[in-house]
Amino acid sequence: MSIISRRPSGWYERDAGGSAEDLEPTPAELAAIEAEWPLIEAELALLDAEIAALSAAGGPSPLDWRRVGRAEAHVTRVAARLAADAAARKGAA
């Protein structure tokens, strides 16, 4: 049996027979998660807004839709900023 994980570089398989240390994220993987954390946080805020809109009594209000729209715009801004930062690092390398 193997465990399939997602790395920033793509998919890979890791043998489940290894030690617990082998299953821990590497420092590079932790750094990648830390770098992407603003986007993860923005996506969680969008999910919260969508859940609030969908579970609102009587249906979503205009305020709920504005909240979803602001959250979507925030996700887009953060994703664009991360992409620009990644392109700048790649260009500097």
Side-chain angles (χ1 to χ4, degrees):
M1 179 177 204
S2 63
I3 296 174
I4 299 176
S5 297
R6 173 77 166 91
R7 280 191 168 188
S9 61
W11 292 97
Y12 75 103
E13 286 192 33
R14 193 181 288 182
D15 185 11
S19 68
E21 289 177 0
D22 292 338
L23 299 177
E24 293 295 319
T26 65
E29 291 169 333
L30 290 173
I33 292 168
E34 185 69 27
E36 291 179 11
W37 189 252
L39 180 58
I40 294 166
E41 195 171 39
E43 289 173 336
L44 287 172
L46 173 58
L47 182 61
D48 287 343
E50 290 171 337
I51 289 170
L54 292 172
S55 63
S61 69
L63 181 61
D64 292 325
W65 290 119
R66 283 195 301 268
R67 182 175 175 223
V68 169
R70 283 192 309 269
E72 288 173 340
H74 184 63
V75 167
T76 302
R77 286 190 307 272
V78 171
R81 186 171 54 238
L82 286 175
D85 291 347
R89 281 193 306 274
K90 188 174 182 180

